[in-house]
Structure formats: C-alpha cells, structure tokens
Amino acid sequence: DWKGLPWAQIDRYYDLKEKLRQKAGASEDAPEAEWIRKLEPYKLDILKIFLVRRGVGLVEVLTKLQEDSRGMARLYTKKIISESMFRSFKAAEAEVHEELESITTEASLLAPESPPGGFFGSCVQQYQMGAHKQYDDASMDHMEATALGDAPPVMPGKGKGGGKGMPMPVGPGGAAA
C-alpha cells in the first residue's frame, strides 16, 4: 500500500528554502552553507521546523515500509507475490533511503553542530510522541510568512526544543508550547 514519499512536506521545505535564499540575495550558485549561516536565527529555526515536518513525514512512510518488509520478502520467497511487485517494493525502500540521506544532508547544513543522526532521531521522537501534530497547515503558513518577513517573528530562542540545535515548538501568542 505504498503511497509514496511525503511530497507536500518535501516541496514545502524546498520552496521556503528557495524563497529564503532569494530574500538573502544569494545567487543560485552561491554555496548553501554560506547564505544559510547568514540567516537570522528565527528564520533558521523556522526552516529547521519545516525540515522536521518533512522528516516526520518520512518516519510515517518508513514505519509502514519496515512493518511490511519481512512479510514482503516471505511472500516473494514463497512465490505468492510476483517479482515485479517485489521489485516495486524494493524500489520504494530505495526511494525512502534516498530521502533519508537528503534530510540528513539538509540537517547538516542547518545545524552543523548537531551529530549526523541526531536530527532524524528527533523526527522519530516527535512522531512517536505525536508532537508533530501541532504543525498544522495554518501554523506552517504563519511560520513561512514570519520567515519571509510578512509576519512578526514568534519563535523563541533555542532551548527546550527537540534536541541540540532544534527549534522550540511555539504555541499561540509566541509562548513555548
């Protein structure tokens, strides 16, 4: 029952990142680490939240694939499913692995001080605790407008967030949730 990668979150992250690059006045070929390092802290925190949402979307997909993996291998071995179906499943696993690598690369750009696996570990934790549910479309829209300078900043500084270098979730009125 492969529904694919969480393209809405992936696209939304890259859209915001591109808009921030343009607002920063960086050229398309400017080194990402350079212009990202110059972002105001609250803009960087918002971009991190968009990456967290993308990561949590991947955790949802990955969880389902991991649950199905052993069963699919067994069904294929017993010739209950076709080779093309099994190859399709393996292609889905490869696509998820590629997205995981992409998220890890993006996380290292946004929080170079964090350990490589720490960011995705935070995404897994947020998924398990249900903390990601606070990031509905309306709050994401407001955070995007804030990052682009179209709304007042509401992000507190780093603190009790999802781990080293992770932004703190924000509740109504800018108070930490």
Side-chain angles (χ1 to χ4, degrees):
D1 212 12
W2 170 247
K3 293 179 177 146
L5 293 176
W7 288 109
Q9 289 98 336
I10 294 168
D11 291 343
R12 191 145 192 196
Y13 170 79
Y14 282 118
D15 288 346
L16 176 60
K17 184 178 172 187
E18 175 59 18
K19 289 174 185 174
L20 287 171
R21 182 196 59 75
Q22 290 173 2
K23 278 222 173 237
S27 66
E28 285 185 38
D29 58 346
E32 287 185 321
E34 193 175 293
W35 69 263
I36 287 173
R37 204 173 28 252
K38 294 177 183 176
L39 286 175
E40 294 173 70
Y42 76 92
K43 291 180 180 185
L44 181 59
D45 283 347
I46 290 171
L47 192 56
K48 287 178 187 177
I49 288 173
F50 275 64
L51 186 60
V52 166
R53 191 165 188 221
R54 178 180 159 190
V56 168
L58 184 64
V59 171
E60 292 179 69
V61 171
L62 185 58
T63 300
K64 177 70 175 138
L65 277 179
Q66 286 176 332
E67 288 170 359
D68 294 348
S69 185
R70 291 178 108 168
M72 291 295 280
R74 228 177 288 127
L75 292 173
Y76 176 66
T77 302
K78 293 180 179 185
K79 303 215 185 280
I80 295 173
I81 61 170
S82 68
E83 184 176 340
S84 66
M85 181 179 246
F86 187 68
R87 274 197 315 259
S88 176
F89 182 79
K90 287 300 191 183
E93 284 183 325
E95 194 174 351
V96 166
H97 181 71
E98 190 176 305
E99 172 62 1
L100 176 58
E101 286 181 15
S102 177
I103 288 172
T104 302
T105 299
E106 291 294 319
S108 69
L109 281 170
L110 303 183
E113 72 283 357
S114 296
F119 187 86
F120 194 71
S122 294
C123 295
V124 170
Q125 221 173 16
Q126 287 205 19
Y127 174 76
Q128 290 170 340
M129 295 182 330
H132 64 284
K133 293 176 183 169
Q134 69 185 334
Y135 301 132
D136 61 9
D137 287 337
S139 65
M140 297 303 286
D141 290 345
H142 182 77
M143 283 189 274
E144 181 174 356
T146 299
L148 298 174
D150 301 327
V154 294
M155 298 299 297
K158 293 177 185 166
K160 302 178 212 163
K164 185 176 180 183
M166 294 298 301
M168 237 170 124
V170 175

